[in-house]
Structures are given as C-alpha cells and as structure tokens.
C-alpha cells in the first residue's frame, strides 16, 4: 500500500532467488497476488504501466530482477508464434500515431494501442496469411493488443472458403472490443454466399455483445443495400434497443 495505495491478497510464492550486489546480497521472493481494493496510484514512481511478459525486454529493470523476469517469461509468456508476431508489430509501431490512434479509441486502455498504421498491418497480414505462424496466432485468443486484434481481422479477410472464414469470424467476434477492429473486418469471401451471410448477420443482431451487434448491422449496410435490400431487414435493425453508444451510432 505504501507504494501503490492498493490492498492485495497474497497467494503462493511464484519464485525466489538471491542476488549479490558488490556491497550487499538481497533475497527476492515474488508472490502471486490480486488487487482487492483500490486502483494503483503513483506514490513513489514516475509512471505506472501494465506490461505483458513479451514486453519485458523493452523496459529497464534492476539487475536483481533478471532471474525473476526470465522465470515470468518462461512460465507465463506467449507461444513462440505470438512472440514472433508481436516482435514484428513492435518494430512497426510509431509513437506519434499511437497517441493519435489512442485518442480515437476511448473504450480501450492507452497501453493496448501500439500505433501500427493500417496499411502496414494489411501488408503484414497478406505476407503472414496461410503460414503456420498465422494459424497459431489466430488460435491464441484473447490477444493483448489492439493492433493484434486488427491483424487478426485482416488475416481473416484473406480467407477463401466461406464456411471456414465464417467460423473463424464467429470465434473471433466475442473478443472484438472496439469499433475500429469491428468495422475493418470485411472478408471478401462473404460475397460468395449472401443467403448464408444474411442468416448469420440476423443471428448477430440478437447478440448481447455490442460489437457483435455492430458487426451484424455493418454487414447489412455493406452487402444488403442494393438489389439485396429488404424492408424487413431495415425494420429489424431499427427495432434494436441498446444502451451502447457504438451500437446506436450505426
């Protein structure tokens, strides 16, 4: 509490080790813990930030922490495929764009936006599609970053089989947590079977997840406004009642 102003419950020990400095030897023990009261506050530090095990190399730590950090990475790190993808995304990020993009995504914590531009993500998705790394990445849900979710969406756009792509989109939708990922996911293969697409879109309109509903509405706007237009579809969408801004704004 003296450093973060929170109350925690302490679980079992995760790891402990000694570390010898030139003038002193310290013994460090890391415990599993959960915050039960309060929100972390900066009482003695310049900045607070949640990071993933894969981000550890990007931050400076005390030498005494090295053994513990290596253990965290070994036990709780992501699969190698995700590490490889994440490393590539980190190499593409732009700080100024991260700040700009974060301001457009008020429902997301700032730390989950890396700042990779959409053209770079689409180019990477095109190169990655169909590889074993892509398959492992798509299976590793949930993702840690907004940019990973967008990459996932762009990988699904590369699908060529209607049924397989539909199944992958349906598996991904529960993890879509922002308007940008939702609106940018548009597999071209959906055009091949509009009756099946309409049926699935109708199901998604009835979801209790706001971005699934938004995605369903978006499909009707994208595929069913011309010769496929139906007043019944319009009435169904107009009848949706929601307290969610990102549903109502559609």
């Amino acid at each position: 509490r003296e450093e973060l102003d929170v109350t925690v419950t302490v679980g079992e020990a995760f790891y402990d080790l000694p570390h010898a400095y030139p003038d002193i030897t310290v013994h460090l023990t890391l415990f599993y813990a959960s915050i039960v009261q309060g929100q972390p506050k900066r009482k003695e530090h310049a900045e607070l930030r949640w990071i993933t095990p894969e981000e550890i190399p990007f931050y400076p730590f005390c030498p005494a922490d090295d053994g513990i950090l290596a253990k965290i990475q070994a036990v709780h790190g992501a699969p190698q495929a995700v590490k490889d993808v994440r490393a590539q995304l980190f190499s593409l990020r732009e700080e100024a764009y991260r700040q700009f993009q974060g301001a457009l995504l008020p429902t997301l914590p700032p730390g989950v936006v890396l700042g990779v531009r959409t053209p770079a993500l689409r180019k990477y998705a095109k190169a990655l599609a169909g590889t074993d790394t892509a398959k492992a990445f798509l299976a590793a849900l949930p993702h840690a970053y907004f940019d990973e979710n967008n990459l996932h969406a762009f990988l699904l756009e590369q699908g060529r089989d209607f049924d397989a792509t539909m199944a992958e989109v349906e598996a991904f939708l529960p993890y879509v947590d922002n308007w940008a990922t939702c609106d940018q996911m548009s597999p071209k293969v959906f055009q091949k079977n509009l009756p099946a697409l309409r049926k699935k879109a109708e199901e998604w309109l009835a979801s209790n997840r706001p971005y699934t509903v938004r995605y369903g509405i978006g499909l009707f706007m994208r595929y069913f406004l011309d010769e496929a237009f139906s007043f019944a579809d319009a009435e169904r969408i107009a009848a949706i009642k929601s307290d969610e801004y990102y549903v109502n704004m559609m």
Side-chain angles (χ1 to χ4, degrees), residues 97 100-108 113 116 118 121-122 146-147 149-154 157 172-173 175-186 211 214-215 222 246 249-250:
Y97 187 67
F100 167 76
Q101 196 172 43
L104 301 177
L105 299 163
T107 61
L108 297 182
V113 178
V116 182
T118 297
L121 273 177
R122 288 191 181 278
F146 161 75
D147 310 68
N149 278 336
N150 277 2
L151 177 64
H152 193 123
F154 297 154
E157 289 186 336
F172 179 50
L173 277 174
Y175 301 97
V176 174
D177 59 359
N178 67 89
W179 66 267
T181 303
C182 179
D183 293 359
Q184 293 183 104
M185 183 166 56
S186 181
Y211 293 104
R214 182 183 174 96
Y215 191 68
R222 187 175 296 120
Y246 286 101
M249 71 174 293
M250 295 292 283

Side-chain angles (χ1 to χ4, degrees), residues 4 10 14 24 33 51 86 90 108 114 116 119 138 140 161 171 182 196 216 245:
L4 299 176
V10 179
F14 171 69
I24 189 174
I51 66 172
R86 195 166 288 166
F90 268 81
L108 297 182
L114 296 180
V116 182
L138 291 172
D161 179 88
C182 179
Y245 170 76

Side-chain angles (χ1 to χ4, degrees), residues 94-167:
E94 300 177 24
E95 177 58 26
Y97 187 67
R98 183 190 70 80
Q99 296 182 26
F100 167 76
Q101 196 172 43
L104 301 177
L105 299 163
T107 61
L108 297 182
V112 306
V113 178
L114 296 180
V116 182
R117 294 180 181 271
T118 297
L121 273 177
R122 288 191 181 278
K123 182 178 180 180
Y124 181 40
K126 188 174 182 179
L128 190 64
T131 65
D132 290 341
T133 296
K135 294 175 184 177
F137 173 76
L138 291 172
L141 289 167
H143 299 306
Y145 295 102
F146 161 75
D147 310 68
E148 291 178 333
N149 278 336
N150 277 2
L151 177 64
H152 193 123
F154 297 154
L155 284 170
L156 296 186
E157 289 186 336
Q158 304 297 317
R160 297 181 179 180
D161 179 88
F162 178 90
D163 291 333
T165 301
M166 178 62 73

